[in-house]
Amino acid sequence: MASPTSLKITNRSAKKPIKKLPTSIDVTDKTTVQDVKVLLAKQAGGMDPERLGLFDAEKKKLLKDRRAIVSQLQDVMAGKEILVKDLGPQITWTTVFIIEYLGPILIHLITPLLLRPYIYSSAPPLTTSQYLSMAMVILHFLKREYETLFVHRFSLATMPAFNIFKNSAHYWVLSGFNIAYWVYAPNSYTTLEGSIINYINAAGLVLFVFGELSNLHTHKTLSNLRSPGGTERGIPKGYGFGLVTCPNYLFELIAWAGITLVTKSASTALFDVVAWWQMNQWAIKKERALRTEFPDKYKKKKYVLLPSPGAVIKYITG
């Protein structure tokens, strides 16, 4: 084992410095980023280690990989310094997702089954389309809760606690209150009946089932790239990944296209557009990250989220 290396410790924020922060720390060839956070938190008076954000002094980049060996981080070792910032109260990603997805589940249960007489001037019995809309939205978010607990493996342990309000607003408001109010109304398009409506609902259900099962499959593929509790990254391959960078997002949009057909509501279409915009931004960043991290191994994708019809046909036919 090599002799320990002393690294300078500096408060990144001069306006909000961390009191009792040591001026230096010794690291060995086995010291991880998480080890440093735990030691600094203890010396700073027993802080929550997850509140500490560590940055290299060269590029001022956050050291996200908590299992990375500090002595192998070139930007840290070049400057022989680590910048430390208090990120504020933290909350686990699992908790965040559970709360985010719980909102739409409760809203789409309570609104049609209990609140309709109090919201609308009249509340006739729910139609087949309304029951189906309710079931599809709830099943979608129940699946997400399942994935949060049993499938996803997060590289970051926590996020700022305050962000939970911003993150939850997207689901509670747009996919919860926004869709529920219009879809379960007595004058909505979901009250229409007839053979054409049945065909539209059937098409929507097929898209929904295909999208949800395909999305689950790609999430499991992504999860298998990382060991339990690990932070390593890999190149995803297999079903859908030869077509676009993020087929999990593509399949989610397909599932929501199915929900949109059944709900027949502009409120669902609004959620689709916002979701597409956000997922497209994430997909662009993911493509860029894969090209940067695996320049020799990663096969560049022309489409990050939505492929052309020709690309889909070529992918299916091989």
Side-chain angles (χ1 to χ4, degrees), residues 34 37 48-53 62-64 66 86-97 153-164 167 231:
Q34 186 65 24
K37 292 172 68 172
D48 175 6
E50 302 307 331
R51 288 184 63 138
L52 299 181
L62 178 66
L63 306 181
K64 294 182 178 181
R66 61 183 182 275
D86 185 355
L87 302 177
Q90 300 289 298
I91 187 172
T92 67
W93 278 95
T94 298
T95 301
V96 171
F97 284 159
R153 292 172 180 170
F154 304 104
S155 59
L156 295 177
T158 63
M159 65 174 282
F162 185 76
N163 284 1
I164 193 170
N167 289 27
T231 59

Side-chain angles (χ1 to χ4, degrees), residues 146-280:
Y146 166 79
E147 291 171 338
T148 297
L149 294 172
F150 303 108
V151 178
H152 293 320
R153 292 172 180 170
F154 304 104
S155 59
L156 295 177
T158 63
M159 65 174 282
F162 185 76
N163 284 1
I164 193 170
F165 300 103
K166 177 185 67 176
N167 289 27
S168 295
H170 173 71
Y171 296 104
W172 285 58
V173 176
L174 279 183
S175 62
F177 296 116
N178 168 58
I179 294 177
Y181 177 81
W182 298 106
V183 168
Y184 305 123
N187 60 345
S188 72
Y189 286 118
T190 50
T191 60
L192 299 176
E193 303 284 357
S195 58
I196 294 179
I197 297 299
N198 292 336
Y199 288 133
I200 294 175
N201 287 349
L205 186 58
V206 168
L207 287 176
F208 175 78
V209 172
F210 169 76
E212 293 291 348
L213 293 179
S214 297
N215 177 264
L216 175 61
H217 185 278
T218 54
H219 279 164
K220 288 186 174 181
T221 298
L222 291 170
S223 179
N224 290 335
L225 294 175
R226 182 171 292 151
S227 60
T231 59
E232 68 272 21
R233 289 184 291 270
I235 301 174
K237 299 178 181 178
Y239 179 60
F241 288 98
L243 180 62
V244 295
T245 308
C246 297
N248 49 318
Y249 297 157
L250 170 62
F251 293 135
E252 177 151 344
L253 289 177
I254 291 174
W256 273 99
I259 296 175
T260 304
L261 285 178
V262 174
T263 62
K264 306 167 190 66
S265 173
S267 62
T268 312
L270 172 62
F271 176 79
D272 294 345
V273 171
V274 175
W276 164 82
W277 181 86
Q278 182 61 79
M279 287 189 284
N280 190 61

Side-chain angles (χ1 to χ4, degrees), residues 9 18-25 33-54 84:
I9 300 298
I18 301 172
K19 298 179 179 180
K20 299 181 181 180
L21 191 69
T23 58
S24 65
I25 188 173
V33 169
Q34 186 65 24
D35 292 334
V36 173
K37 292 172 68 172
V38 171
L39 183 58
L40 291 179
K42 183 178 180 180
Q43 295 186 26
M47 293 179 61
D48 175 6
E50 302 307 331
R51 288 184 63 138
L52 299 181
L54 306 186
V84 185

Side-chain angles (χ1 to χ4, degrees), residues 94-107:
T94 298
T95 301
V96 171
F97 284 159
I98 288 176
I99 293 174
E100 286 179 359
Y101 306 147
L102 182 61
I105 293 173
L106 295 178
I107 292 168

